[in-house]
């Protein structure tokens, strides 16, 4: 096995472990988010329930994602990037999908939540991963 192949294998293995950690963190936070959504929607509009669950689960998600999933240090740039990515995910992806499913397609909000959560989990991973990698590269270039 060549050195280049070993490096590629190590990177692939590291990214696989990173993705598994992301799924564990995401799954745990998704359960928190869903539980809050379904409880709050009993006495408030689905928009309030959606925002409440997401913002509460975001707090746990941020620290676990930065320190455990991507093994990076928290910084103002990192925090700003992750908050921006999550706000994009909440207000564009999640709210947009809920509006599409509930208002345009006529699904019940309790049913629409399920495909919305699945789709937004994928977009969230891609956006957060990009933000963290960009932030990590900036930190590494400053330390050189």
């Amino acid at each position: 096995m060549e050195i280049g192949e070993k490096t590629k294998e190590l990177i692939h293995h590291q990214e696989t472990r990173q993705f598994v950690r992301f799924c564990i963190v995401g799954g745990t936070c998704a359960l928190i988010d869903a539980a809050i959504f379904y409880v709050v929607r009993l006495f408030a509009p689905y928009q309030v329930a959606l925002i409440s669950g997401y913002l509460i689960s975001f707090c746990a998600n941020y620290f676990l994602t930065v320190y455990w999933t991507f093994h990076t240090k928290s910084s103002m740039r990192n925090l700003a990037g992750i908050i921006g990515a999550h706000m994009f995910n909440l207000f564009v992806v999640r709210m947009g999908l809920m509006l599409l499913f509930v208002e345009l397609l006529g699904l019940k909000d309790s049913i629409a939540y399920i495909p919305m959560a699945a789709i937004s989990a994928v977009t969230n991973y891609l956006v957060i991963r990009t933000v963290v990698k960009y932030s990590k590269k900036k930190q590494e270039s400053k330390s050189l």
Side-chain angles (χ1 to χ4, degrees):
M1 189 179 281
E2 292 181 26
I3 293 175
E5 288 181 37
K6 282 185 177 183
T7 303
K8 287 179 185 178
E9 185 178 314
L10 178 64
I11 289 169
H12 176 71
H13 187 62
Q14 179 181 352
E15 287 180 359
T16 301
R17 288 192 319 254
Q18 187 179 75
F19 181 74
V20 169
R21 288 190 305 264
F22 182 85
C23 289
I24 292 168
V25 169
T28 301
C29 292
L31 289 174
I32 293 168
D33 180 16
I36 293 168
F37 172 80
Y38 284 108
V39 169
V40 173
R41 70 175 271 286
L42 294 173
F43 57 87
Y46 76 85
Q47 295 92 338
V48 172
L50 189 68
I51 292 169
S52 300
Y54 193 81
L55 291 179
I56 291 169
S57 70
F58 166 75
C59 295
N61 191 307
Y62 172 74
F63 290 105
L64 290 171
T65 297
V66 169
Y67 295 110
W68 188 60
T69 302
F70 294 109
H71 297 294
T72 188
K73 294 179 182 178
S74 183
S75 68
M76 288 309 288
R77 179 187 310 267
N78 187 290
L79 178 61
I82 288 178
I83 287 173
H86 276 282
M87 293 305 100
F88 170 81
N89 193 45
L90 173 59
F91 291 110
V92 175
V93 177
R94 292 171 69 97
M95 291 297 267
L97 288 171
M98 287 298 280
L99 286 170
L100 171 71
F101 294 150
V102 175
E103 307 300 333
L104 296 176
L105 299 179
L107 293 175
K108 289 185 173 187
D109 58 0
S110 59
I111 301 298
Y113 180 87
I114 297 166
M116 176 279 307
I119 293 167
S120 71
V122 173
T123 59
N124 191 42
Y125 173 74
L126 296 173
V127 172
I128 295 296
R129 183 171 179 244
T130 301
V131 167
V132 170
K133 279 190 168 191
Y134 175 77
S135 178
K136 200 172 193 177
K137 283 181 183 178
K138 285 288 190 182
Q139 286 176 349
E140 289 171 356
S141 68
K142 283 185 178 182
S143 65
L144 296 176

